[in-house]
Short mmCIF file of all heavy atoms in Angstrom, two decimals:
data_model
loop_
_atom_site.label_atom_id
_atom_site.label_comp_id
_atom_site.label_asym_id
_atom_site.label_seq_id
_atom_site.Cartn_x
_atom_site.Cartn_y
_atom_site.Cartn_z
N LYS A 6 42.30 17.68 57.01
CA LYS A 6 42.30 19.09 57.39
C LYS A 6 41.50 19.41 58.59
O LYS A 6 41.93 20.28 59.39
CB LYS A 6 41.88 19.88 56.17
CG LYS A 6 42.71 19.72 54.88
CD LYS A 6 42.02 20.29 53.66
CE LYS A 6 42.02 21.79 53.66
NZ LYS A 6 41.49 22.33 52.39
N LYS A 7 40.40 18.73 58.73
CA LYS A 7 39.51 19.04 59.91
C LYS A 7 38.57 17.87 60.10
O LYS A 7 38.13 17.31 59.15
CB LYS A 7 38.76 20.35 59.61
CG LYS A 7 37.84 20.84 60.76
CD LYS A 7 37.09 22.15 60.33
CE LYS A 7 36.26 22.63 61.41
NZ LYS A 7 35.53 23.90 61.01
N LYS A 9 34.90 17.16 62.24
CA LYS A 9 33.84 17.92 62.87
C LYS A 9 32.61 16.98 63.07
O LYS A 9 32.24 16.15 62.26
CB LYS A 9 33.45 19.10 62.10
CG LYS A 9 33.07 18.81 60.65
CD LYS A 9 32.97 20.02 59.73
CE LYS A 9 32.67 19.59 58.34
NZ LYS A 9 32.73 20.75 57.35
N TRP A 15 23.84 18.94 58.13
CA TRP A 15 25.25 18.79 58.12
C TRP A 15 25.90 20.02 57.50
O TRP A 15 25.40 20.59 56.52
CB TRP A 15 25.67 17.63 57.24
CG TRP A 15 25.23 16.30 57.81
CD1 TRP A 15 24.68 16.03 59.02
CD2 TRP A 15 25.30 15.00 57.13
NE1 TRP A 15 24.45 14.68 59.19
CE2 TRP A 15 24.81 14.00 58.05
CE3 TRP A 15 25.80 14.65 55.90
CZ2 TRP A 15 24.77 12.68 57.73
CZ3 TRP A 15 25.78 13.28 55.55
CH2 TRP A 15 25.25 12.32 56.46
N GLU A 16 26.96 20.47 58.03
CA GLU A 16 27.74 21.57 57.44
C GLU A 16 28.49 21.05 56.24
O GLU A 16 29.12 19.94 56.26
CB GLU A 16 28.71 22.06 58.55
CG GLU A 16 29.64 23.19 58.06
CD GLU A 16 30.71 23.56 59.08
OE1 GLU A 16 30.56 23.25 60.24
OE2 GLU A 16 31.75 24.13 58.67
N THR A 17 28.48 21.81 55.17
CA THR A 17 29.16 21.48 53.93
C THR A 17 30.06 22.63 53.48
O THR A 17 29.99 23.69 54.12
CB THR A 17 28.19 21.08 52.78
OG1 THR A 17 27.28 22.18 52.60
CG2 THR A 17 27.38 19.80 53.17
N SER A 18 30.81 22.46 52.45
CA SER A 18 31.70 23.48 51.94
C SER A 18 31.31 23.83 50.54
O SER A 18 30.81 22.99 49.75
CB SER A 18 33.18 23.00 52.00
OG SER A 18 33.55 22.70 53.32
N ASP A 19 31.56 25.08 50.11
CA ASP A 19 31.39 25.59 48.79
C ASP A 19 31.90 24.55 47.78
O ASP A 19 33.03 24.09 47.97
CB ASP A 19 32.10 26.91 48.70
CG ASP A 19 31.83 27.67 47.34
OD1 ASP A 19 31.06 27.24 46.56
OD2 ASP A 19 32.47 28.71 47.18
N PRO A 20 31.15 24.14 46.72
CA PRO A 20 29.93 24.70 46.18
C PRO A 20 28.61 24.14 46.86
O PRO A 20 27.50 24.51 46.43
CB PRO A 20 29.91 24.25 44.73
CG PRO A 20 30.56 22.86 44.80
CD PRO A 20 31.65 23.03 45.88
N PHE A 21 28.72 23.32 47.86
CA PHE A 21 27.52 22.71 48.58
C PHE A 21 27.07 23.71 49.67
O PHE A 21 27.87 24.43 50.20
CB PHE A 21 27.82 21.38 49.15
CG PHE A 21 28.28 20.36 48.10
CD1 PHE A 21 29.66 20.11 47.89
CD2 PHE A 21 27.33 19.69 47.33
CE1 PHE A 21 30.04 19.21 46.90
CE2 PHE A 21 27.72 18.77 46.37
CZ PHE A 21 29.12 18.50 46.14
N LEU A 22 25.76 23.75 49.89
CA LEU A 22 25.22 24.66 50.87
C LEU A 22 24.99 23.89 52.22
O LEU A 22 25.25 24.45 53.29
CB LEU A 22 23.90 25.23 50.32
CG LEU A 22 24.07 26.13 49.14
CD1 LEU A 22 22.76 26.35 48.44
CD2 LEU A 22 24.76 27.40 49.49
N PHE A 23 24.38 22.72 52.16
CA PHE A 23 24.31 21.83 53.34
C PHE A 23 23.76 20.50 52.83
O PHE A 23 23.38 20.32 51.71
CB PHE A 23 23.45 22.40 54.44
CG PHE A 23 22.05 22.62 54.18
CD1 PHE A 23 21.10 21.59 54.04
CD2 PHE A 23 21.47 23.97 54.10
CE1 PHE A 23 19.79 21.84 53.81
CE2 PHE A 23 20.15 24.15 53.91
CZ PHE A 23 19.26 23.08 53.75
N CYS A 24 23.71 19.54 53.76
CA CYS A 24 23.13 18.22 53.51
C CYS A 24 22.29 17.81 54.73
O CYS A 24 22.67 18.04 55.90
CB CYS A 24 24.21 17.15 53.27
SG CYS A 24 23.60 15.52 53.10
N GLY A 77 17.45 29.57 43.08
CA GLY A 77 18.91 30.01 43.08
C GLY A 77 19.87 28.80 43.41
O GLY A 77 21.04 29.07 43.53
N PHE A 78 19.39 27.60 43.51
CA PHE A 78 20.32 26.44 43.77
C PHE A 78 19.71 25.22 43.25
O PHE A 78 18.64 25.19 42.61
CB PHE A 78 20.59 26.44 45.30
CG PHE A 78 19.42 26.03 46.17
CD1 PHE A 78 19.15 24.80 46.60
CD2 PHE A 78 18.45 27.04 46.48
CE1 PHE A 78 18.09 24.39 47.36
CE2 PHE A 78 17.37 26.77 47.22
CZ PHE A 78 17.17 25.48 47.69
N GLU A 79 20.31 24.03 43.68
CA GLU A 79 19.85 22.72 43.24
C GLU A 79 19.69 21.86 44.43
O GLU A 79 20.39 22.00 45.45
CB GLU A 79 20.88 22.11 42.27
CG GLU A 79 21.04 22.87 40.92
CD GLU A 79 22.00 22.07 40.03
OE1 GLU A 79 23.17 22.03 40.29
OE2 GLU A 79 21.46 21.49 38.99
N ILE A 137 20.98 16.96 49.41
CA ILE A 137 22.17 17.82 49.30
C ILE A 137 21.77 19.10 48.52
O ILE A 137 21.16 19.00 47.50
CB ILE A 137 23.27 17.09 48.52
CG1 ILE A 137 23.59 15.80 49.23
CG2 ILE A 137 24.53 17.97 48.39
CD1 ILE A 137 24.14 14.71 48.28
N TRP A 138 22.08 20.28 49.08
CA TRP A 138 21.86 21.46 48.41
C TRP A 138 23.20 21.96 47.77
O TRP A 138 24.18 22.15 48.45
CB TRP A 138 21.33 22.58 49.38
CG TRP A 138 19.93 22.43 49.81
CD1 TRP A 138 19.16 21.28 49.80
CD2 TRP A 138 19.03 23.45 50.28
NE1 TRP A 138 17.90 21.53 50.25
CE2 TRP A 138 17.82 22.83 50.60
CE3 TRP A 138 19.22 24.83 50.50
CZ2 TRP A 138 16.73 23.57 51.13
CZ3 TRP A 138 18.16 25.56 50.97
CH2 TRP A 138 16.89 24.92 51.28
N LEU A 139 23.10 22.09 46.41
CA LEU A 139 24.31 22.45 45.60
C LEU A 139 24.06 23.86 45.05
O LEU A 139 23.01 24.10 44.43
CB LEU A 139 24.50 21.48 44.52
CG LEU A 139 25.62 21.77 43.52
CD1 LEU A 139 27.01 21.80 44.12
CD2 LEU A 139 25.58 20.66 42.38
N ASN A 140 25.00 24.82 45.35
CA ASN A 140 24.73 26.15 44.91
C ASN A 140 24.81 26.29 43.39
O ASN A 140 25.40 25.46 42.66
CB ASN A 140 25.72 27.05 45.58
CG ASN A 140 25.27 28.54 45.58
OD1 ASN A 140 24.16 28.86 45.28
ND2 ASN A 140 26.20 29.38 45.99
N LEU A 141 24.25 27.38 42.87
CA LEU A 141 24.38 27.78 41.50
C LEU A 141 25.17 29.07 41.42
O LEU A 141 24.98 29.94 42.24
CB LEU A 141 23.08 28.03 40.83
CG LEU A 141 22.18 26.81 40.46
CD1 LEU A 141 20.76 27.19 40.15
CD2 LEU A 141 22.81 26.00 39.31
N PRO A 142 26.11 29.26 40.47
CA PRO A 142 26.79 30.50 40.35
C PRO A 142 25.83 31.62 39.89
O PRO A 142 24.67 31.32 39.33
CB PRO A 142 27.84 30.23 39.24
CG PRO A 142 27.26 29.15 38.42
CD PRO A 142 26.43 28.23 39.35
N GLU A 143 26.29 32.84 39.99
CA GLU A 143 25.36 33.99 39.65
C GLU A 143 24.85 33.83 38.26
O GLU A 143 23.63 34.15 37.96
CB GLU A 143 26.17 35.27 39.88
CG GLU A 143 25.31 36.51 39.62
CD GLU A 143 26.04 37.84 39.92
OE1 GLU A 143 27.33 37.73 39.95
OE2 GLU A 143 25.37 38.85 40.05
N LYS A 146 21.72 31.52 38.34
CA LYS A 146 20.72 31.60 39.43
C LYS A 146 19.30 31.61 38.81
O LYS A 146 18.38 31.12 39.38
CB LYS A 146 20.94 32.90 40.22
CG LYS A 146 22.12 32.90 41.15
CD LYS A 146 21.91 31.99 42.32
CE LYS A 146 23.08 32.08 43.31
NZ LYS A 146 22.92 31.10 44.38
N SER A 194 23.86 22.90 35.80
CA SER A 194 24.42 22.61 37.08
C SER A 194 25.88 22.97 37.14
O SER A 194 26.60 22.88 36.08
CB SER A 194 24.24 21.16 37.41
OG SER A 194 24.93 20.88 38.65
N TRP A 195 26.44 23.42 38.32
CA TRP A 195 27.87 23.59 38.45
C TRP A 195 28.54 22.21 38.16
O TRP A 195 29.68 22.28 37.75
CB TRP A 195 28.08 24.04 39.91
CG TRP A 195 29.49 24.46 40.26
CD1 TRP A 195 30.29 23.83 41.06
CD2 TRP A 195 30.28 25.56 39.79
NE1 TRP A 195 31.53 24.36 41.17
CE2 TRP A 195 31.53 25.52 40.40
CE3 TRP A 195 29.96 26.57 38.91
CZ2 TRP A 195 32.51 26.48 40.18
CZ3 TRP A 195 30.95 27.58 38.67
CH2 TRP A 195 32.21 27.50 39.29
N ALA A 196 27.83 21.16 38.43
CA ALA A 196 28.41 19.90 38.23
C ALA A 196 28.54 19.46 36.73
O ALA A 196 29.24 18.54 36.41
CB ALA A 196 27.59 18.74 38.94
N ARG A 200 35.54 20.70 34.72
CA ARG A 200 36.61 21.35 35.46
C ARG A 200 36.32 21.56 36.93
O ARG A 200 37.20 21.65 37.75
CB ARG A 200 36.99 22.70 34.77
CG ARG A 200 35.91 23.74 34.93
CD ARG A 200 36.39 25.16 34.44
NE ARG A 200 37.55 25.60 35.23
CZ ARG A 200 37.41 26.26 36.41
NH1 ARG A 200 36.19 26.52 36.88
NH2 ARG A 200 38.47 26.71 37.05
N ASN A 201 35.04 21.51 37.21
CA ASN A 201 34.57 21.69 38.64
C ASN A 201 34.69 20.48 39.50
O ASN A 201 34.62 20.51 40.74
CB ASN A 201 33.15 22.30 38.70
CG ASN A 201 33.06 23.67 38.06
OD1 ASN A 201 34.06 24.41 38.03
ND2 ASN A 201 31.92 23.96 37.49
N GLU A 202 34.86 19.29 38.86
CA GLU A 202 35.11 18.00 39.52
C GLU A 202 34.13 17.75 40.63
O GLU A 202 34.50 17.24 41.70
CB GLU A 202 36.60 17.89 39.96
CG GLU A 202 37.55 17.91 38.81
CD GLU A 202 38.99 17.68 39.26
OE1 GLU A 202 39.28 16.73 40.00
OE2 GLU A 202 39.83 18.55 38.94
N VAL A 203 32.89 18.14 40.41
CA VAL A 203 31.88 17.79 41.40
C VAL A 203 31.65 16.30 41.49
O VAL A 203 31.39 15.67 40.49
CB VAL A 203 30.47 18.54 41.10
CG1 VAL A 203 29.46 18.10 42.09
CG2 VAL A 203 30.74 20.07 41.20
N THR A 204 31.77 15.78 42.64
CA THR A 204 31.69 14.31 42.89
C THR A 204 30.80 14.11 44.12
O THR A 204 30.98 14.66 45.15
CB THR A 204 33.06 13.66 43.08
OG1 THR A 204 33.97 13.99 42.01
CG2 THR A 204 32.93 12.20 43.31
N ILE A 205 29.82 13.14 43.91
CA ILE A 205 28.97 12.71 44.95
C ILE A 205 29.01 11.18 44.94
O ILE A 205 28.76 10.60 43.87
CB ILE A 205 27.54 13.24 44.85
CG1 ILE A 205 27.48 14.77 44.83
CG2 ILE A 205 26.64 12.66 45.98
CD1 ILE A 205 26.05 15.30 44.54
N SER A 222 42.12 17.03 41.77
CA SER A 222 42.93 18.23 41.50
C SER A 222 43.09 19.01 42.85
O SER A 222 42.28 18.82 43.80
CB SER A 222 42.13 19.16 40.52
OG SER A 222 42.13 18.46 39.31
N GLU A 223 44.07 19.83 42.86
CA GLU A 223 44.30 20.72 44.02
C GLU A 223 43.24 21.79 44.01
O GLU A 223 42.69 22.24 43.01
CB GLU A 223 45.71 21.35 43.89
CG GLU A 223 46.10 22.11 45.17
CD GLU A 223 47.58 22.51 45.11
OE1 GLU A 223 48.20 22.30 44.05
OE2 GLU A 223 48.05 23.05 46.11
N GLY A 224 42.85 22.28 45.27
CA GLY A 224 41.93 23.36 45.38
C GLY A 224 40.50 23.08 45.49
O GLY A 224 39.65 23.95 45.52
N LEU A 225 40.12 21.72 45.49
CA LEU A 225 38.75 21.40 45.60
C LEU A 225 38.41 21.28 47.04
O LEU A 225 39.25 21.04 47.90
CB LEU A 225 38.51 20.05 44.88
CG LEU A 225 38.97 19.84 43.47
CD1 LEU A 225 38.64 18.39 43.02
CD2 LEU A 225 38.30 20.86 42.51
N ASN A 226 37.12 21.40 47.33
CA ASN A 226 36.65 21.11 48.70
C ASN A 226 36.13 19.67 48.70
O ASN A 226 35.34 19.32 47.84
CB ASN A 226 35.51 22.07 49.13
CG ASN A 226 36.00 23.44 49.42
OD1 ASN A 226 37.14 23.56 49.98
ND2 ASN A 226 35.19 24.44 49.26
N ARG A 227 36.73 18.83 49.58
CA ARG A 227 36.37 17.37 49.60
C ARG A 227 36.17 17.01 51.12
O ARG A 227 36.92 17.29 51.96
CB ARG A 227 37.60 16.63 49.05
CG ARG A 227 37.50 15.17 49.15
CD ARG A 227 38.68 14.45 48.70
NE ARG A 227 38.67 13.93 47.31
CZ ARG A 227 39.52 13.07 46.79
NH1 ARG A 227 40.60 12.74 47.49
NH2 ARG A 227 39.32 12.68 45.60
N THR A 228 34.96 16.43 51.32
CA THR A 228 34.56 16.01 52.68
C THR A 228 34.00 14.61 52.62
O THR A 228 33.17 14.30 51.76
CB THR A 228 33.65 16.98 53.28
OG1 THR A 228 34.15 18.32 53.30
CG2 THR A 228 33.27 16.62 54.74
N ILE A 229 34.39 13.74 53.59
CA ILE A 229 33.81 12.47 53.83
C ILE A 229 32.95 12.49 55.03
O ILE A 229 33.37 13.05 56.09
CB ILE A 229 34.82 11.31 53.95
CG1 ILE A 229 35.39 10.97 52.56
CG2 ILE A 229 34.30 10.17 54.70
CD1 ILE A 229 36.42 9.85 52.58
N TYR A 230 31.76 12.04 54.96
CA TYR A 230 30.78 12.04 56.10
C TYR A 230 30.60 10.57 56.52
O TYR A 230 30.27 9.68 55.76
CB TYR A 230 29.41 12.58 55.65
CG TYR A 230 29.49 14.05 55.22
CD1 TYR A 230 29.86 14.31 53.92
CD2 TYR A 230 29.41 15.09 56.08
CE1 TYR A 230 30.00 15.67 53.49
CE2 TYR A 230 29.57 16.35 55.70
CZ TYR A 230 29.89 16.69 54.39
OH TYR A 230 29.97 17.98 53.98
N GLU A 251 37.16 16.83 56.61
CA GLU A 251 37.60 17.64 55.44
C GLU A 251 38.99 17.21 55.03
O GLU A 251 39.88 16.99 55.86
CB GLU A 251 37.63 19.14 55.82
CG GLU A 251 36.21 19.71 56.10
CD GLU A 251 36.28 21.20 56.48
OE1 GLU A 251 37.37 21.83 56.29
OE2 GLU A 251 35.29 21.70 56.88
N LEU A 252 39.13 17.02 53.67
CA LEU A 252 40.38 16.35 53.15
C LEU A 252 41.10 17.36 52.21
O LEU A 252 40.43 18.14 51.55
CB LEU A 252 40.05 15.07 52.51
CG LEU A 252 39.29 13.98 53.36
CD1 LEU A 252 38.89 12.82 52.36
CD2 LEU A 252 40.25 13.50 54.39
N SER A 254 42.17 17.69 48.75
CA SER A 254 41.80 16.95 47.60
C SER A 254 42.88 16.48 46.65
O SER A 254 42.72 15.57 45.80
CB SER A 254 40.83 17.88 46.72
OG SER A 254 41.54 19.02 46.29
N LEU A 271 30.56 10.98 50.29
CA LEU A 271 31.67 11.90 49.90
C LEU A 271 31.05 12.99 49.02
O LEU A 271 30.28 12.72 48.05
CB LEU A 271 32.73 11.21 49.13
CG LEU A 271 33.89 12.12 48.62
CD1 LEU A 271 35.25 11.51 48.86
CD2 LEU A 271 33.78 12.51 47.21
N LEU A 272 31.37 14.29 49.38
CA LEU A 272 31.00 15.40 48.57
C LEU A 272 32.29 16.16 48.16
O LEU A 272 33.11 16.46 49.07
CB LEU A 272 30.09 16.33 49.34
CG LEU A 272 28.69 15.82 49.79
CD1 LEU A 272 27.96 16.89 50.57
CD2 LEU A 272 27.90 15.22 48.64
N GLN A 273 32.43 16.51 46.95
CA GLN A 273 33.66 17.17 46.44
C GLN A 273 33.27 18.15 45.32
O GLN A 273 32.40 17.84 44.58
CB GLN A 273 34.63 16.12 45.95
CG GLN A 273 35.81 16.72 45.15
CD GLN A 273 36.63 15.62 44.49
OE1 GLN A 273 37.28 14.81 45.15
NE2 GLN A 273 36.50 15.53 43.20
N GLY A 274 33.93 19.26 45.29
CA GLY A 274 33.74 20.18 44.16
C GLY A 274 34.64 21.40 44.28
O GLY A 274 35.13 21.74 45.36
N ARG A 275 34.73 22.03 43.12
CA ARG A 275 35.53 23.31 43.03
C ARG A 275 34.57 24.38 43.60
O ARG A 275 33.42 24.50 43.21
CB ARG A 275 35.94 23.61 41.60
CG ARG A 275 36.83 24.81 41.48
CD ARG A 275 37.30 24.93 40.05
NE ARG A 275 37.98 23.76 39.56
CZ ARG A 275 39.18 23.34 39.87
NH1 ARG A 275 39.91 24.09 40.65
NH2 ARG A 275 39.69 22.22 39.41
N PRO A 276 35.10 25.19 44.53
CA PRO A 276 34.29 26.29 45.08
C PRO A 276 33.88 27.31 44.05
O PRO A 276 34.64 27.56 43.11
CB PRO A 276 35.16 26.90 46.15
CG PRO A 276 36.56 26.50 45.85
CD PRO A 276 36.49 25.20 45.11
N ILE A 277 32.66 27.81 44.15
CA ILE A 277 32.17 28.82 43.27
C ILE A 277 32.81 30.18 43.61
O ILE A 277 33.02 30.98 42.75
CB ILE A 277 30.61 28.89 43.36
CG1 ILE A 277 30.03 27.60 42.82
CG2 ILE A 277 30.06 30.11 42.52
CD1 ILE A 277 28.49 27.49 42.99
N ASN A 278 33.12 30.35 44.89
CA ASN A 278 33.76 31.58 45.39
C ASN A 278 32.96 32.84 45.04
O ASN A 278 33.48 33.84 44.51
CB ASN A 278 35.20 31.70 44.81
CG ASN A 278 36.09 30.73 45.49
OD1 ASN A 278 36.00 30.41 46.68
ND2 ASN A 278 37.07 30.21 44.74
N GLU A 279 31.67 32.81 45.31
CA GLU A 279 30.85 33.95 45.17
C GLU A 279 30.09 34.23 46.48
O GLU A 279 29.88 33.25 47.27
CB GLU A 279 29.76 33.85 44.02
CG GLU A 279 30.42 33.75 42.68
CD GLU A 279 29.35 33.52 41.57
OE1 GLU A 279 28.16 33.41 41.88
OE2 GLU A 279 29.71 33.58 40.41
N PRO A 280 29.61 35.46 46.79
CA PRO A 280 28.86 35.62 47.95
C PRO A 280 27.62 34.77 47.97
O PRO A 280 26.95 34.51 46.94
CB PRO A 280 28.51 37.17 47.86
CG PRO A 280 29.46 37.77 46.91
CD PRO A 280 29.79 36.66 45.97
N VAL A 281 27.21 34.29 49.20
CA VAL A 281 26.03 33.52 49.40
C VAL A 281 25.17 34.26 50.39
O VAL A 281 25.57 34.49 51.52
CB VAL A 281 26.37 32.08 49.88
CG1 VAL A 281 25.08 31.36 50.20
CG2 VAL A 281 27.18 31.35 48.87
N VAL A 282 23.97 34.57 49.97
CA VAL A 282 22.94 35.15 50.84
C VAL A 282 21.74 34.22 50.79
O VAL A 282 21.14 34.08 49.80
CB VAL A 282 22.52 36.58 50.42
CG1 VAL A 282 21.53 37.19 51.44
CG2 VAL A 282 23.78 37.44 50.39
N GLN A 283 21.44 33.66 51.96
CA GLN A 283 20.34 32.71 51.99
C GLN A 283 19.22 33.16 52.93
O GLN A 283 19.49 33.67 54.01
CB GLN A 283 20.81 31.29 52.49
CG GLN A 283 19.70 30.27 52.61
CD GLN A 283 20.17 28.92 53.10
OE1 GLN A 283 21.44 28.70 53.15
NE2 GLN A 283 19.23 28.00 53.37
N VAL A 288 18.37 31.19 47.74
CA VAL A 288 19.82 31.37 47.87
C VAL A 288 20.31 32.22 46.69
O VAL A 288 20.28 31.80 45.53
CB VAL A 288 20.56 30.02 47.85
CG1 VAL A 288 22.09 30.28 48.04
CG2 VAL A 288 20.04 29.09 48.98
N MET A 289 20.67 33.46 47.02
CA MET A 289 21.12 34.39 45.99
C MET A 289 22.54 34.95 46.32
O MET A 289 23.18 34.52 47.27
CB MET A 289 20.06 35.47 45.81
CG MET A 289 18.66 35.00 45.48
SD MET A 289 18.56 34.06 43.93
CE MET A 289 18.79 35.31 42.71
N ASN A 290 22.99 35.88 45.53
CA ASN A 290 24.28 36.50 45.76
C ASN A 290 24.24 37.79 46.65
O ASN A 290 25.24 38.27 47.13
CB ASN A 290 24.97 36.86 44.49
CG ASN A 290 25.30 35.58 43.66
OD1 ASN A 290 24.59 35.12 42.85
ND2 ASN A 290 26.45 34.97 44.04
#
Side-chain angles (χ1 to χ4, degrees):
K6 299 166 70 174
K7 184 180 180 182
K9 55 193 176 185
W15 295 351
E16 178 186 340
T17 58
S18 299
D19 187 4
F21 300 97
L22 297 164
F23 64 71
C24 176
F78 65 100
E79 299 183 288
I137 303 153
W138 285 24
L139 175 62
N140 202 9
L141 287 167
E143 184 176 18
K146 289 287 188 189
S194 175
W195 185 248
R200 67 174 298 274
N201 295 330
E202 295 184 53
V203 173
T204 302
I205 301 173
S222 297
E223 190 173 2
L225 309 178
N226 286 330
R227 173 186 260 192
T228 304
I229 281 180
Y230 299 88
E251 295 181 10
L252 302 171
S254 61
L271 180 138
L272 300 181
Q273 170 189 289
R275 188 174 304 282
I277 295 172
N278 286 328
E279 292 180 358
V281 174
V282 181
Q283 179 180 350
V288 182
M289 304 301 288
N290 295 95

